């Protein structure tokens, strides 16, 4: 746990209106006035689209019933949830169980809001280590992933066939670029992706960045320059459209859905739309510079446990979290959310039910958390400089080297 001063800095970063008072953050969901028996447990999640009739809420209630308690559940928009939790922690009224986007875990943990698995006795041994990393900070683990999504390359079979491209030949950056050149020569469009100046842009760029061998602690390394140059050259050569600089993942998918593009970088959440696209498609992992599967960033939420003044509540909370993470319940949850399960046992069940998910399982196994490598709350500051550099290079206002040199200088100053 960081000092009180450090926790104040973390909260100021995440929510400027919250100031942490001296000492450890103390939270409690049990209100003796309204719940004298302490048998009501609160759960907050980022799924407001699911109402009481949904399978998700039914599962929460079932887990509560199995643990002998009543569940009070509230769904918040993802952008609101972090602020709500920080305020609730300050007011000693945090929920018993919190499901939150994985990059936020380090912010909440370093602010003293979350209990570690040492406190809650959660068993994390079955969780894939690379996925669990997004929920670790300071050598401790804060929760478990409910599931994961990540990025890969969708491809249009008809476009590649017309261009004379065998998808099996696309194994690294050079062969992918060669395929894009053939597609352009055949009168079709090459690849679309999202390079917008937000976290979404960094999320899409990271497979190429990590696939080059670059590390986020050194934004101006030769490997990093190679990754930015790859995207920049694709735009210059007309292999990728100028629109990528403003594309979200949704708008880049809409471009691919026209049937004119050979490739699109996107995620598991587009599988349903892919089936409706009206053309035959396939999926391959994002390749590394010299082959193999590039590490893509993990998306998805963690089930975590906010700190409680009454630590006796952790016993029941542990039962609730374990219920949500059980093999049978995990399969139902990840299927509903279009996620890949965080355990190999459930991943095997997913592939057995749908062989198309094999490529996504492989991508998730190679993926890594954005806040990993001990970046924690420094990640958002570094990410902002990364997407700023990519934007500058794609727009032509700076060379890749100059853009990344400036980004490294700014990131170093921001993370002192």
């Amino acid at each position: 746990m960081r000092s009180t001063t450090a926790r104040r800095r973390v909260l100021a970063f995440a929510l400027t209106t919250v100031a942490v008072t001296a000492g450890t953050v103390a939270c409690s969901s049990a209100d003796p006035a309204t719940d004298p028996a302490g048998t009501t447990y609160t759960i907050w999640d980022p799924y407001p689209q699911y109402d009481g009739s949904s399978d998700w809420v039914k599962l929460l209630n079932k887990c509560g019933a199995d643990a002998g308690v009543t569940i009070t559940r509230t769904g918040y928009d993802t952008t609101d949830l972090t602020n709500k939790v920080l305020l609730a922690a300050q007011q000693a009224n945090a929920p018993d169980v919190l499901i939150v986007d994985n990059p936020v875990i380090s912010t909440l943990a370093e602010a003293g809001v979350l209990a570690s698995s040492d406190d809650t006795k959660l068993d994390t041994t079955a969780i894939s280590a690379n996925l669990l990393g997004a929920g670790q900070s300071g050598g401790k683990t804060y929760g478990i992933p409910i599931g994961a999504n990540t990025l890969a390359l969708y491809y249009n079979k008809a476009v590649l066939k017309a261009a004379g491209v065998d998808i099996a030949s696309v194994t690294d950056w050079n062969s992918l670029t060669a395929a894009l050149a053939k597609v352009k020569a055949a009168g079709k469009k090459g690849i679309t992706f999202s390079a917008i100046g937000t976290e979404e842009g960094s999320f899409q760029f990271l497979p190429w960045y990590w696939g080059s061998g670059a590390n986020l602690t050194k934004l101006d390394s030769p490997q990093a320059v190679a990754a930015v140059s790859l995207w920049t050259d694709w735009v210059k050569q007309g292999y990728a459209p100028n629109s990528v600089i403003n594309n979200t993942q949704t708008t880049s998918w809409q471009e691919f859905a026209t049937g004119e593009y050979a490739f699109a970088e996107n995620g598991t959440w587009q599988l349903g739309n892919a089936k409706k696209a009206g053309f035959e498609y396939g999926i391959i992992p994002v390749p590394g510079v010299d082959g193999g599967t590039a590490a893509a960033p993990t998306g998805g939420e963690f089930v975590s446990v906010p700190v409680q003044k009454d630590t006796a509540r952790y016993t029941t909370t542990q039962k609730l979290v374990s219920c949500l993470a059980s093999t049978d319940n995990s399969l139902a949850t990840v299927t509903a959310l279009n996620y890949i399960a965080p355990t190999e046992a459930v991943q095997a069940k997913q592939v057995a039910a749908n062989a198309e998910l094999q490529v996504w399982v492989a991508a998730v196994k190679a993926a890594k958390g954005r806040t990993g490598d001990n970046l924690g709350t420094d990640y958002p500051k570094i990410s902002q400089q990364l997407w700023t550099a990519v934007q500058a290079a794609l727009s032509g206002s700076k060379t890749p080297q100059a853009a990344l040199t400036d980004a490294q200088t700014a990131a170093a100053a921001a993370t002192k």
Side-chain angles (χ1 to χ4, degrees), residues 170-222:
V170 180
T171 58
D172 55 20
W173 288 7
N174 285 339
S175 56
L176 175 57
T177 300
L180 297 178
K182 289 184 177 181
V183 168
K184 182 185 177 185
K188 290 292 186 178
K189 299 177 180 179
I191 186 168
T192 179
F193 47 84
S194 169
I196 193 170
T198 66
E199 176 58 25
E200 206 166 349
S202 287
F203 187 79
Q204 286 248 314
F205 183 61
L206 280 173
W208 311 96
Y209 186 88
W210 284 331
S212 73
N215 190 292
L216 286 171
T217 59
K218 184 65 173 173
L219 294 180
D220 57 350
S221 69

Side-chain angles (χ1 to χ4, degrees), residues 2-379:
R2 290 191 174 187
S3 66
T4 303
T5 300
R7 292 202 302 274
R8 284 194 181 110
R9 287 200 298 268
V10 173
L11 282 176
F13 161 74
L15 180 64
T16 56
T17 58
V18 178
V20 178
T21 56
T24 303
V25 175
C27 316
S28 177
S29 290
D31 183 348
T34 58
D35 184 28
T39 57
T40 296
Y41 279 66
T42 55
I43 297 178
W44 290 2
D45 66 45
Y47 313 128
Q49 67 271 33
Y50 297 129
D51 61 21
S53 65
S54 66
D55 290 341
W56 168 246
V57 176
K58 289 177 181 177
L59 173 59
L60 297 181
N61 290 331
K62 178 184 182 299
C63 289
D66 290 348
V69 298
T70 300
I71 297 299
T72 299
R73 173 260 180 179
T74 306
Y76 293 101
D77 288 332
T78 299
T79 52
D80 294 335
L81 186 54
T82 304
N83 292 353
K84 296 285 188 184
V85 172
L86 288 165
L87 285 171
Q90 177 67 9
Q91 297 164 0
N93 193 34
D96 290 286
V97 177
L98 172 67
I99 301 167
V100 68
D101 196 18
N102 73 75
V104 179
I105 290 289
S106 59
T107 296
L108 297 179
E110 292 184 39
V113 173
L114 299 181
S116 74
S117 57
D118 294 342
D119 301 314
T120 62
K121 309 305 180 187
L122 284 176
D123 182 3
T124 62
T125 55
I127 307 297
S128 298
N130 65 319
L131 300 184
L132 196 62
Q136 294 175 325
S137 179
K140 293 188 176 183
T141 300
Y142 297 87
I144 56 177
I146 197 168
N149 55 36
T150 193
L151 297 164
L153 293 181
Y154 289 83
Y155 63 90
N156 185 317
K157 293 184 177 181
V159 170
L160 291 185
K161 183 178 180 180
V165 174
D166 179 0
I167 192 61
S169 70
V170 180
T171 58
D172 55 20
W173 288 7
N174 285 339
S175 56
L176 175 57
T177 300
L180 297 178
K182 289 184 177 181
V183 168
K184 182 185 177 185
K188 290 292 186 178
K189 299 177 180 179
I191 186 168
T192 179
F193 47 84
S194 169
I196 193 170
T198 66
E199 176 58 25
E200 206 166 349
S202 287
F203 187 79
Q204 286 248 314
F205 183 61
L206 280 173
W208 311 96
Y209 186 88
W210 284 331
S212 73
N215 190 292
L216 286 171
T217 59
K218 184 65 173 173
L219 294 180
D220 57 350
S221 69
Q223 295 88 348
V225 173
V228 174
S229 297
L230 179 72
W231 271 19
T232 303
D233 290 344
W234 283 351
V235 172
K236 286 181 178 178
Q237 295 294 329
Y239 302 157
N242 290 324
S243 59
V244 297
I245 199 167
N246 295 314
N247 270 350
T248 65
Q249 293 179 110
T250 298
T251 54
S252 67
W253 179 263
Q254 290 169 346
E255 289 179 336
F256 180 66
T258 64
E260 297 179 355
Y261 284 83
F263 294 95
E265 181 186 4
N266 230 294
T268 51
W269 54 89
Q270 297 292 4
L271 275 172
N273 288 329
K275 296 179 188 302
K276 301 174 185 176
F279 54 81
E280 286 191 90
Y281 69 93
I283 307 166
I284 60 171
V286 176
V289 57
D290 294 319
T293 299
T298 55
E301 291 77 39
F302 264 64
V303 185
S304 59
V305 179
V307 173
Q308 301 294 328
K309 182 185 297 183
D310 179 7
T311 58
R313 294 180 70 83
Y314 292 151
T315 299
T316 297
T317 300
Q318 191 270 348
K319 293 179 182 178
L320 296 175
V321 176
S322 296
C323 176
L324 293 175
S326 71
T327 299
D328 290 341
N329 291 338
S330 175
L331 180 60
T333 299
V334 295
T335 299
L337 298 176
N338 280 324
Y339 282 164
I340 298 302
T343 64
E344 290 188 358
V346 181
Q347 289 172 359
K349 289 178 177 288
Q350 288 184 277
V351 173
N354 181 1
E356 188 179 47
L357 295 179
Q358 181 61 59
V359 67
W360 293 108
V361 168
V364 163
K365 285 183 176 179
K368 59 189 291 186
R370 284 164 279 174
T371 57
D373 298 328
N374 295 315
L375 293 180
T377 54
D378 284 343
Y379 170 75

